Amino acid sequence: MPFRSPDCQPSPLDLISQAGYAIVGPSANTSGKPSPTTANHVYHDLNNKIAGIIDNGPTRVGVESTVLDMSTSQPVILRPGAVTKQDIEGVIGSIDINHHQVKQDEVPKAPGMKYKHYAPNAQVYIVDPADDWGEVAAVIAQSKEQVGLMATDQVLHAHVWSVQADQFSLGTGVQEASAHLFEGLRDFDNQEEIHQIFCQGFEPTGLGAAYMNRLNKSAGGAHFRDLLNK
């Protein structure tokens, strides 16, 4: 009997049914770059490399799945996702989260574990929850180039931004931000004049752990405070 995920959509199920055999495939994106969340993103990355695309609408969660390593005595989350540590512990008991930084020449145990991954061409800087958005606005106002700005509606509406700020809304909170993170990074990746992106960070709890995992790797660990201290 074939396995059916409760979240599996009708279009992929129809494809599997018509194919008559199991289907296994890699992620539909270029390695190391921001992950696709729409069919247009896949087309941008893989045009002329694949036979076709089934467009079943944008992804709902945005960040990739949770990867759990069960090969060790204590199960370990290799890559956090929408299924949180608390969710899993509620079923199987205590687990760990992997904090090992994979080196450039090291083979990772799961996708997305390298220190810099999901990265656009522009340098991403994380604006931490404790940072002053007024300072961010001042830095952007002094820039001689256009700067990408990714933040929630609350932040975008609370400040006066200069014309140098190219704004992208992350919605109203971490759930919408997770769904739109890669979309925003890709949007700015298509703008050659954008060389810096300031992106809002969240507390790394619940879905925020997955969001911050992807954002940290997109930024290569760079924070807004690092830019101020240069």
Side-chain angles (χ1 to χ4, degrees):
M1 182 176 180
F3 169 75
R4 173 172 176 168
S5 165
D7 292 326
C8 196
Q9 299 297 302
S11 295
L13 289 174
D14 289 344
L15 173 64
I16 295 169
S17 177
Q18 292 183 41
Y21 48 80
I23 295 176
V24 178
S27 298
N29 67 297
T30 303
S31 180
K33 303 301 288 183
S35 296
T37 57
T38 69
N40 282 337
H41 295 164
V42 177
Y43 181 82
H44 179 272
D45 281 4
L46 301 178
N47 183 31
N48 294 325
K49 298 179 181 178
I50 56 177
I53 300 169
I54 296 177
D55 186 353
N56 203 40
T59 60
R60 290 177 295 174
V61 177
V63 295
E64 301 86 350
S65 57
T66 306
V67 176
L68 183 66
D69 183 2
M70 299 289 289
S71 66
T72 56
S73 58
Q74 175 86 336
V76 179
I77 290 179
L78 299 179
R79 183 181 71 184
V83 180
T84 67
K85 181 175 185 287
Q86 292 76 16
D87 292 335
I88 298 171
E89 287 184 330
V91 178
I92 65 173
S94 178
I95 62 173
D96 291 330
I97 295 182
N98 176 72
H99 296 290
H100 171 67
Q101 292 185 1
V102 178
K103 298 177 182 178
Q104 191 65 33
D105 58 349
E106 186 178 351
V107 178
K109 294 187 72 174
M113 289 184 66
K114 290 189 175 180
Y115 186 59
K116 190 159 189 179
H117 201 70
Y118 316 111
N121 294 323
Q123 176 60 57
V124 178
Y125 291 97
I126 302 167
V127 182
D128 292 307
D131 287 337
D132 182 351
W133 281 99
E135 285 189 297
V136 177
V139 168
I140 294 177
Q142 294 171 7
S143 174
K144 297 179 180 179
E145 300 177 334
Q146 289 296 112
V147 175
L149 175 63
M150 299 173 60
T152 58
D153 293 336
Q154 181 181 4
V155 169
L156 296 179
H157 296 158
H159 300 273
V160 176
W161 301 98
S162 68
V163 294
Q164 282 84 1
D166 195 332
Q167 302 176 36
F168 181 91
S169 172
L170 289 175
T172 58
V174 69
Q175 184 168 350
E176 288 184 42
S178 297
H180 296 297
L181 174 64
F182 290 136
E183 179 186 355
L185 294 177
R186 281 177 166 269
D187 183 57
F188 289 130
D189 214 17
N190 292 329
Q191 301 180 47
E192 294 182 0
E193 70 276 16
I194 301 290
H195 298 291
Q196 292 182 334
I197 302 170
F198 296 139
C199 187
Q200 183 172 351
F202 291 89
E203 295 297 335
T205 57
L207 184 57
Y211 174 89
M212 290 306 298
N213 171 270
R214 306 312 191 275
L215 181 54
N216 267 297
K217 292 182 185 299
S218 297
H223 293 253
F224 175 67
R225 285 284 147 196
D226 301 330
L227 187 62
L228 290 184
N229 295 330
K230 283 187 176 180

